[in-house]
Amino acid sequence: MTHRIAIAPSGFKESLSAARVAEAIAVGVRRVIPDADLDLIPLVDGGEGTAEALALAGGGRLVPCTATGPVGDPVASHFALLGGPGPLTAVVEMAAVAGLALVPPGLRHPGATTTYGVGELIRAALDAGARRILVGCGDSGTSDGGAGALQALGARLTDRHDRELRRGGGALHELEHIDPSGLDPRLARTELLVACNPYNVLCGKRGVARVFGPQKGATPAEVELLSAGLERLAAVLTRDLAPRSGVAIDLRTAPGTGASGGLGAGLAAVGARLLPRYDVLLDGLDLDARLARADFVITAEGALDHQTVRGKIPAEVARRAHAAGVPVLVLAGTIGPGAQDVRAVGVDAYSAILPAPMTLVEAIGRSGEFLADATERAMRIMALGTRLAPLAAA
């Protein structure tokens, strides 16, 4: 009997792309079941690797360029131009220019990092002729509400003295006015879509600064400053930009407004549509049918914890596989508080891949090896269970 196994993982941040994760898992499976029928389905969530993955899937190409990185220095970046019929479509991956991986550990202060480069990539895509731009949100190192992107697109953000606001979320509490007269006029003729996690909102108790600020290096005091700044930004966006763009959503709490440190809200204020990321990013993969054809599904992510069920790839894969009655195993770099919640969305088992305590640098450097080994261990345990099942039934 041939075993049909679908391998549908996300990437491991700052370590392995989704494609490399899938390949490492496949190595581990074949050590135990050499003739397994494997369907590798690397998945992206809008973060690292999104532009490349969609370019490959859509017959497109990556366009290299240089843009302003999250700490203000130029970085080598890219966007994608997709193939196919219809208007020329570009994919701007915010992580490729404002991602946490581009922020040196000693400079991880989300009050100072900027999305200015995201606006530059959008302008570069417009220069390339794109009339439909998909912005992938995820893995951000910023918390400026998209203010930097708006500045790069031509908006003028000023304080009460009419001085240009400095970049970074730490300055947003000083915002007094946004002048949209300099915005790139091509935006009005371009379909701007934002693929985002709908669980992420800009403000409130579950606002993006409170949920993700500490992960990006913010102290408790900085979290409160960022939260106050994003509240101020939402108010000024609603007053100065949203009416001009015909925006009807609540920029404080609408689903997706908190995507990538609030980039979702900033782009929504100039007319972007905020869309659930998997509705956009999985289009064309025929994922449901491929999972339903499998006997077993393996997915993976870097950290399995309470946030996984709030729109992460393993939860989305498990939900879809569970609907088809297919069992799911999750492999994770680390397992944190709340990991057990994934059972409620269809995960049958999960396991960490690290064989022993070690430094983060070593874990990242050997993650492919650890993934293959962990997969082999899981498959051997499953094989043993299969052999023991007739004895238990006797």
Side-chain angles (χ1 to χ4, degrees):
M1 174 183 175
T2 300
H3 294 80
R4 296 169 298 181
I5 301 174
I7 301 174
S10 70
F12 281 25
K13 294 179 183 178
E14 303 182 63
S15 176
L16 297 175
S17 68
R20 290 185 61 196
V21 170
E23 291 164 1
I25 292 172
V27 168
V29 171
R30 292 203 184 281
R31 289 176 186 169
V32 183
I33 312 175
D35 61 346
D37 180 3
L38 304 184
D39 184 9
L40 274 59
I41 319 171
L43 301 175
V44 291
D45 62 3
E48 295 174 8
T50 293
E52 180 180 14
L54 294 187
L56 290 172
R61 61 187 176 90
L62 284 182
V63 179
C65 58
T66 300
T68 303
V71 298
D73 298 327
V75 297
S77 188
H78 58 263
F79 62 93
L81 292 175
L82 305 186
L88 181 62
T89 298
V91 179
V92 169
E93 173 192 318
M94 81 85 59
V97 71
L100 187 62
L102 297 175
V103 185
L107 297 177
R108 292 189 173 177
H109 306 297
T113 50
T114 179
T115 55
Y116 195 90
V118 178
E120 291 178 319
L121 291 188
I122 291 173
R123 294 189 77 151
L126 292 169
D127 291 342
R131 289 299 172 261
R132 183 174 184 265
I133 300 177
L134 173 63
V135 180
C137 290
D139 302 333
S140 72
T142 57
S143 192
D144 72 350
L150 294 175
Q151 289 173 316
L153 290 168
R156 187 168 181 262
L157 281 66
T158 55
D159 64 15
R160 63 190 180 92
H161 300 293
D162 198 38
R163 296 176 302 203
E164 191 76 25
L165 211 66
R166 69 183 186 278
R167 297 176 192 172
L172 293 177
H173 68 284
E174 301 172 3
L175 178 64
E176 184 65 27
H177 181 63
I178 301 177
D179 178 3
S181 61
L183 278 171
D184 193 315
R186 295 174 294 181
L187 289 172
R189 306 188 298 271
T190 303
E191 185 180 17
L192 190 58
L193 309 174
V194 180
C196 54
N197 187 339
Y199 288 100
N200 294 342
V201 298
L202 187 67
C203 302
K205 292 182 179 180
R206 295 292 303 172
V208 67
R210 290 191 169 92
V211 175
F212 295 105
Q215 297 178 12
K216 299 174 184 179
T219 65
E222 288 169 336
V223 165
E224 293 309 310
L225 180 66
L226 289 170
S227 296
L230 293 173
E231 289 277 3
R232 180 60 185 164
L233 176 67
V236 179
L237 287 173
T238 300
R239 184 193 69 201
D240 294 349
L241 282 190
R244 177 179 184 268
S245 304
V247 176
I249 66 171
D250 180 354
L251 294 176
R252 294 183 66 257
T253 61
T257 51
S260 289
L263 177 66
L267 294 181
V270 293
R273 293 163 54 202
L274 306 184
L275 303 174
R277 53 187 174 182
Y278 298 123
D279 289 355
V280 180
L281 301 174
L282 302 184
D283 186 34
L285 287 179
D286 199 22
L287 180 61
D288 289 334
R290 293 168 75 177
L291 295 178
R293 285 195 295 267
D295 301 311
F296 178 53
V297 174
I298 303 175
T299 183
E301 72 168 335
L304 194 72
D305 55 28
H306 66 281
Q307 291 185 17
T308 301
V309 296
R310 298 179 62 83
K312 295 294 185 71
I313 282 176
E316 182 70 12
V317 169
R319 182 180 65 80
R320 292 168 182 252
H322 181 72
V326 181
V328 176
L329 167 70
V330 179
L331 298 173
T334 61
I335 294 176
Q340 68 277 4
D341 295 347
V342 299
R343 294 196 181 99
V345 296
V347 172
D348 295 278
Y350 57 83
S351 178
I353 69 169
L354 297 183
M358 64 187 65
T359 66
L360 178 61
V361 172
E362 183 180 5
I364 289 175
R366 299 177 64 188
S367 54
E369 170 192 344
F370 293 151
L371 262 171
D373 291 346
T375 304
E376 179 183 359
R377 290 194 297 271
M379 298 306 296
R380 292 196 183 283
I381 290 172
M382 290 177 60
L384 176 61
T386 300
R387 291 172 61 189
L388 291 176
L391 297 178

